[in-house]
Amino acid sequence: MTDDPLEKAEASSPPLRRRTRLTRAGLATRVDGGRAVNPPLVRASTILFDNVAHLMDVRRRRNDERLLSYGARGNPVAYALEDAITELEGGHRTRLFPTGLAAITQTLIACLRPGDHVLIADSVYEPVRHFARQFFERFSIDYSFFAADGQGVEALLRPRTRLIYAESPGSLAYEIVDLPALARLAHSRGILLAADNTWGAGYLYRPLALGADIVVSAPTKYLSGHSDVVMGAVTTTQEAWARINRSADAHGMTVGPDDAWLILRGSRTLAARLPLHAAGALRAAQWLRAHPAVARVFHPALPDDPGHALWRRDFSGANGLLSLALKDPAEEAAIRFIDALRLFGIGASWGGFESLAMLADMRQARTVADWSRHPLLIRLHVGLEDPDDLIADLEQALARKSVKGER
Ligand SMILES: *Cc1c(COP(=O)(O)O)cnc(C)c1O
């Protein structure tokens, strides 16, 4: 038992709410004297042992227990971050990866073997498609894509389907799948369900509580919140843990303590940042939808968004992402609009404090759904700037003569 009065109070009181837990997970462990709020940054490759017996004992136990044994097998700050993410996602344990994409590809590799079949959401983060093409074909793993809203998944199942890989809301257009229904279907056939929770940031959405076995995410985005670090995370149920952990060790997957420290620092303000991003994105989405040059706006908090009802049922909020299609379908129109923006940076990724704009070709990003009506989307990430300034910026960019509107 603990002597820490705070821990004692927690042990004897009702479970803390998520926002409170976000400030308490993965803090410094007690050493003699007082203690810093945050864990010390320990940079290490070699870990020293008292004698050979000590080394052999740690090596024997390190696959099952969390023991400092070598830099590539983790470090104290990474352990603290793992605990914080485990707490957020409500899982058994978390493994960290050098990028969000590595977290996804390592999950696929850990769950599949030659002859297996995997079903992947049509709305998946696009680089996963490139991985599937390169890796699965070389290793004789079959894959197919299912509609982003989950329609017709059952008919796509095969006797060798081992894994369903979901992403909800989907990349770029934010399609939402009924994850509990997908989990029931998967589990009735002994199939694993993995879900990408980067949009939900472990905070707005809890795939494990909705039935997923594995949740992957890119803390690169909102957990970091400051556009200065890349990282991936995989959190699993107890049953799915060993295969991910073993495979990650075999592949030498690790993260540096400095990067883990940055994500941990960013995570403390997640609950304060997300509502500002969401409020700004909703304002921008509503404003854009009423603009005569805009054909369509994609954002799940809009009441007429196709995923809105499921979003309300399964999510506790939204973030700063939205996408739009201009009425002018010409690529030059979209490019001129993006180039005319002054407060939106042009660049990949999102989740930082700054606003961003990106051009997305939906004919490459989707293969199941027909996107010929809106082949080009402009994805916006609404940062922490004042929404009035952002809307004024959108207005001046749309007002450029070169962006053909219907007015
Ligand atoms: C950005 C992103 C990733 C990949 O994260 P990186 O750290 O950039 O590799 C994975 N999934 C989703 C949904 C993303 O948006």
Side-chain angles (χ1 to χ4, degrees):
M1 267 310 286
T2 172
D3 287 332
D4 185 323
L6 254 177
E7 284 177 32
K8 269 188 175 160
E10 278 174 18
S12 62
S13 53
L16 295 168
R17 286 161 184 82
R18 190 124 33 103
R19 193 167 132 191
T20 310
R21 294 213 303 263
L22 189 58
T23 68
R24 305 220 15 100
L27 294 182
T29 46
R30 188 180 272 291
V31 289
D32 277 351
R35 66 175 157 177
V37 170
N38 294 294
L41 188 61
V42 178
R43 296 194 187 91
S45 54
T46 297
I47 304 297
L48 298 173
F49 299 90
D50 298 339
N51 49 49
V52 175
H54 183 202
L55 179 142
M56 285 168 67
D57 176 57
V58 167
R59 290 219 166 160
R60 216 170 11 248
R61 294 191 289 130
R62 70 178 179 181
N63 286 338
D64 303 314
E65 298 170 48
R66 182 189 270 162
L67 297 167
L68 209 54
S69 68
Y70 181 57
R73 306 279 292 222
N75 57 77
V77 192
Y79 296 155
L81 177 59
E82 287 171 7
D83 289 347
I85 294 175
T86 300
E87 178 89 28
L88 279 176
E89 296 283 3
H92 170 63
R93 276 185 65 179
T94 295
R95 182 84 195 204
L96 301 174
F97 295 85
T99 64
L101 181 58
I104 297 168
T105 58
Q106 284 290 317
T107 295
L108 297 171
I109 288 169
C111 293
L112 298 165
R113 59 171 62 185
D116 285 350
H117 171 245
V118 52
L119 269 177
I120 302 173
D122 194 36
S123 57
V124 75
Y125 175 64
E126 204 179 329
V128 178
R129 288 178 182 272
H130 306 315
F131 175 79
R133 220 172 291 134
Q134 283 181 37
F135 179 84
F136 288 161
E137 285 169 17
R138 204 148 56 81
F139 286 81
S140 305
I141 293 165
D142 286 326
Y143 65 99
S144 36
F145 293 94
F146 65 93
D149 63 0
Q151 292 294 312
V153 184
E154 194 163 0
L156 296 171
L157 295 176
R158 300 183 195 170
R160 293 294 301 267
T161 305
R162 290 290 306 134
L163 177 71
I164 299 177
Y165 184 86
E167 186 181 320
S168 180
S171 280
L172 306 171
Y174 322 112
E175 304 95 326
I176 295 185
V177 75
D178 187 339
L179 203 72
L182 210 53
R184 283 192 294 276
L185 177 66
H187 296 157
S188 72
R189 312 280 184 97
I191 296 168
L192 285 169
L193 175 63
D196 186 322
N197 195 22
T198 303
W199 191 99
Y203 197 77
L204 306 168
Y205 192 45
R206 305 192 92 201
L208 294 174
L210 297 176
D213 304 285
I214 299 167
V215 55
V216 304
S217 69
T220 306
K221 309 283 169 60
Y222 281 118
L223 230 49
S224 147
H226 295 75
S227 308
D228 52 7
V229 56
V230 287
M231 195 172 291
V234 179
T235 308
T236 76
T237 59
Q238 189 162 3
E239 298 71 46
W241 171 248
R243 74 170 70 219
I244 297 288
N245 193 41
R246 247 186 279 122
S247 178
D249 277 336
H251 283 91
M253 288 292 148
T254 195
V255 303
D258 299 73
D259 289 351
W261 197 91
L262 282 173
I263 303 274
L264 201 54
R265 168 190 264 243
S267 74
R268 303 300 176 195
T269 55
L270 181 68
R273 289 183 278 113
L274 280 173
L276 286 178
H277 286 291
L282 187 58
R283 280 261 330 263
Q286 285 163 337
W287 185 87
L288 284 165
R289 203 173 45 166
H291 195 284
V294 174
R296 207 172 144 190
V297 177
F298 302 83
H299 182 67
L302 287 175
D304 55 1
D305 190 271
H308 185 70
L310 281 175
W311 174 76
R312 286 193 65 133
R313 188 191 74 183
D314 291 346
F315 291 76
S316 63
N319 64 26
L321 288 171
L322 70 141
S323 297
L324 65 130
L326 293 175
K327 277 190 185 149
D328 185 341
E331 188 176 26
E332 307 86 76
I335 290 174
R336 280 198 213 101
F337 167 65
I338 294 174
D339 281 344
L341 291 165
R342 293 171 188 142
L343 294 178
F344 290 77
I346 300 167
S349 204
W350 41 268
F353 52 86
E354 81 287 22
S355 288
L356 294 169
M358 273 283 278
L359 186 63
D361 188 336
M362 298 304 282
R363 292 163 298 191
Q364 283 165 30
R366 302 286 187 274
T367 46
V368 177
D370 176 10
W371 276 83
S372 52
R373 265 192 75 200
H374 301 299
L376 292 175
L377 294 187
I378 296 152
R379 183 188 71 195
L380 299 179
H381 175 252
V382 172
L384 299 177
E385 304 89 345
D386 190 309
D388 288 335
D389 289 336
L390 295 178
I391 284 168
D393 193 29
L394 293 169
E395 184 162 30
Q396 66 79 24
L398 284 170
R400 294 287 174 102
K401 265 267 165 297
S402 47
V403 182
K404 256 198 315 197
E406 291 184 2
R407 44 175 130 187

